[in-house]
Amino acid sequence: MIKKKILVITSLYPSIKNPSYGSFIKDQIKLVDDVYEFKILIDIKEEYSKSKFVKILFNLKKLLNVFKIKKINNEYCQEYETIALQYSYFSFYIPPSFQLRRIIRAFDKRLKFQINSNWIPDLIHAHYLENAGIIANCLGEKYNIPVIISEHNAVNFCDTSFWSKKAKNAYFSADKFLVASHHEKRRILTFSNGKIPNILHSPVDEEIFQIFNKNKNKNFNVLFVGYPHPIKGMSLLFEVINQIKEKQITNIMFQIISSDYKTIEFPKGIKEFIIENKLDNYCELLCRVEKKEMITFYKETDLFLSTSINETLGLSMVEALMCGIPVVCTNSGGPEDFITPENGIMVPVLDTQSLVEAIIKIKNKELLFDPNKIRESVKYKFGKNEFKKKLINIYA
């Protein structure tokens, strides 16, 4: 049987240097590559601020190089034919219409090469509206190819900037628009004018994420996975840890998997924040953890904690549940699709006291969860086979 051809255009994709970056997109492709033939185009924005641009303004060689679109095909996972197109993105006023024309021209040239080589896509699947969805929409309209767009971030259709308008247009033009949770569907419906998104939950490999016998150790381990952005509620996380410390609760350790870049909330970085606030006996920061290494942490985890303000889904929480680990989280949107009384505790956003009380109850075994029931609560909804069946139906 001849496989249908699908061109994936994505703004995130794992590279050799960073195999975790967008790895879930590659995982999704892998689940259906026995049914479809895939080629991958990656759009990479190299941002230029006004000050960065001025520095090279009088260097003709560098200036000309900035306006070139570079083809990269050896830095990314080559399980499928993968080409990355890297382009300069100017955050100051170089007309955005000019910038978009350059980008579309480059991607169009690449698609023409595929078509001339007798590889004509039956479908374009874009991941993220900006800018992969915008590019896919332009190419789909030109070549009359159906377009599906998956959005994995929160979208703000109230923004009236050029790129947001183009993203909104791509949303309305797409043959299917996919979101990761009911929370995101409700949000999108606020702006949809009748266009209804489809929900496609991200899959979790139930064969890899299993119930493990915990190594006996003296600490009750709480795992947090996120990055230092206000939307992930990391300030709230440290309020929780500080209250645990003030209550003089012992034998508890918070493992924080996050990058350590400097932000408004953490001007010196998270590691320095932990040291300055003398929290190093209660938490440790773990940077640059690859996805395949996550199993090691789940094996040691007694409780998964999320303090997010907004979650499109919360895939790490689902992975923890698949391993039979209870979750304590805020009602940040995405978790509403899978948190139940038999697998965890959900509290209001920003409710520090309720989070602390929930952690203490589970640590003291005042509240018990059955690991097998926790796993069963998500196994069929988020397993590989369920995802594969749904994605094939959408592609069809």
Side-chain angles (χ1 to χ4, degrees):
M1 187 178 78
I2 298 172
K3 291 182 179 181
K4 285 194 173 182
K5 300 175 178 66
I6 297 178
L7 177 66
V8 172
I9 302 177
T10 176
S11 301
L12 260 75
Y13 201 71
S15 66
I16 293 163
K17 290 179 181 176
N18 191 348
S20 298
Y21 191 67
S23 59
F24 67 94
I25 293 169
K26 182 170 168 282
D27 292 343
Q28 290 183 14
I29 293 168
K30 196 167 180 61
L31 287 177
V32 291
D33 66 2
D34 59 330
V35 184
Y36 304 100
E37 183 181 340
F38 288 94
K39 291 185 189 291
I40 320 292
L41 278 178
I42 311 163
D43 84 282
I44 307 173
K45 289 193 291 190
E46 186 181 13
E47 296 208 18
Y48 272 81
S49 62
K50 195 169 186 177
S51 58
K52 188 177 176 182
F53 185 72
V54 167
K55 285 179 183 178
I56 60 156
L57 190 57
F58 302 104
N59 186 323
L60 185 59
K61 188 177 179 181
K62 285 185 179 180
L63 188 62
L64 292 173
N65 196 45
V66 161
F67 285 96
K68 285 181 182 176
I69 294 181
K70 303 167 191 171
K71 187 177 93 171
I72 305 167
N73 61 359
N74 58 353
E75 291 180 12
Y76 288 84
C77 302
Q78 292 295 312
E79 197 165 337
Y80 310 97
E81 185 179 311
T82 305
I83 299 291
L85 296 178
Q86 181 177 313
Y87 54 88
S88 305
Y89 173 81
F90 304 100
S91 55
F92 59 98
Y93 195 77
I94 285 181
S97 55
F98 164 74
Q99 296 191 52
L100 180 60
R101 280 197 299 273
R102 288 175 58 246
I103 296 164
I104 297 302
R105 198 179 300 122
F107 279 84
D108 185 15
K109 186 178 178 182
R110 188 65 217 170
L111 181 54
K112 274 181 184 170
F113 175 81
Q114 299 289 6
I115 292 170
N116 291 337
S117 303
N118 205 29
W119 196 91
I120 303 170
D122 297 291
L123 176 71
I124 299 173
H125 187 171
H127 290 270
Y128 297 95
L129 263 173
E130 292 190 39
N131 284 337
I134 296 171
I135 295 164
N137 178 50
C138 292
L139 297 179
E141 285 183 350
K142 179 173 181 178
Y143 293 100
N144 197 27
I145 300 171
V147 172
I148 291 173
I149 300 174
S150 291
E151 183 52 73
H152 308 282
N153 285 337
V155 182
N156 180 14
F157 282 146
C158 293
D159 189 347
T160 57
S161 69
F162 174 86
W163 295 102
S164 291
K165 284 180 180 176
K166 289 294 179 183
K168 192 171 184 179
N169 183 53
Y171 162 68
F172 283 116
S173 300
D175 294 270
K176 292 279 184 186
F177 189 82
L178 311 181
V179 292
S181 66
H182 286 85
H183 167 64
E184 283 305 299
K185 180 178 179 178
R186 289 192 296 269
R187 261 186 8 85
I188 294 289
L189 284 174
T190 309
F191 311 99
S192 70
N193 293 336
K195 186 178 180 71
I196 300 174
N198 293 73
I199 297 170
L200 182 66
H201 291 121
S202 296
V204 173
D205 192 333
E206 63 269 38
E207 293 171 17
I208 294 174
F209 296 93
Q210 297 272 357
I211 296 173
F212 302 103
N213 292 323
K214 299 286 185 298
N215 294 333
K216 290 183 179 179
N217 54 51
K218 62 180 181 180
N219 285 329
F220 180 84
N221 286 334
V222 180
L223 182 64
F224 175 94
V225 179
Y227 51 90
H229 187 283
I231 205 169
K232 291 297 180 183
M234 287 194 78
S235 291
L236 179 62
L237 167 67
F238 287 111
E239 285 178 27
V240 168
I241 296 170
N242 199 52
Q243 282 200 21
I244 293 283
K245 179 187 174 184
E246 287 175 357
K247 291 177 183 290
Q248 297 183 338
I249 295 168
T250 57
N251 302 333
I252 186 167
M253 179 58 71
F254 291 79
Q255 294 185 311
I256 303 167
I257 295 178
S258 171
S259 51
D260 191 28
Y261 51 84
K262 296 171 184 177
T263 65
I264 293 172
E265 289 184 301
F266 305 100
K268 296 180 183 178
I270 296 170
K271 191 169 284 187
E272 193 61 35
F273 178 89
I274 291 169
I275 293 167
E276 282 186 356
N277 289 272
K278 298 179 180 177
L279 295 174
D280 41 321
N281 287 332
Y282 282 85
C283 61
E284 60 177 333
L285 178 66
L286 303 150
C287 300
R288 299 183 180 277
V289 175
E290 293 185 19
K291 188 172 181 180
K292 62 184 179 183
E293 297 171 339
M294 285 300 298
I295 292 298
T296 306
F297 294 98
Y298 290 130
K299 284 180 180 179
E300 304 288 339
T301 296
D302 298 290
L303 173 68
F304 190 98
L305 175 65
S306 171
T307 56
S308 291
I309 308 301
N310 184 71
E311 281 285 355
T312 50
L313 180 66
L315 196 57
S316 296
M317 284 183 259
V318 182
E319 290 174 352
L321 294 171
M322 199 73 84
C323 296
I325 300 163
V327 168
V328 170
C329 68
T330 50
N331 57 352
S332 51
E336 294 169 23
D337 278 17
F338 52 83
I339 295 297
T340 67
E342 69 180 2
N343 65 23
I345 300 173
M346 189 184 295
V347 307
V349 168
L350 300 177
D351 190 341
T352 311
Q353 186 177 342
S354 294
L355 288 169
V356 171
E357 287 173 359
I359 293 166
I360 292 171
K361 278 184 180 179
I362 296 171
K363 180 184 183 296
N364 292 343
K365 296 185 168 35
E366 296 170 41
L367 193 58
L368 296 172
F369 293 92
D370 182 339
N372 292 302
K373 286 184 178 178
I374 292 174
R375 178 176 168 83
E376 290 301 310
S377 70
V378 292
K379 182 179 176 182
Y380 298 102
K381 192 173 186 178
F382 292 91
K384 293 187 300 180
N385 290 335
E386 184 64 18
F387 176 86
K388 181 174 181 176
K389 183 171 69 177
K390 285 181 179 177
L391 186 57
I392 287 172
N393 284 337
I394 289 166
Y395 280 174

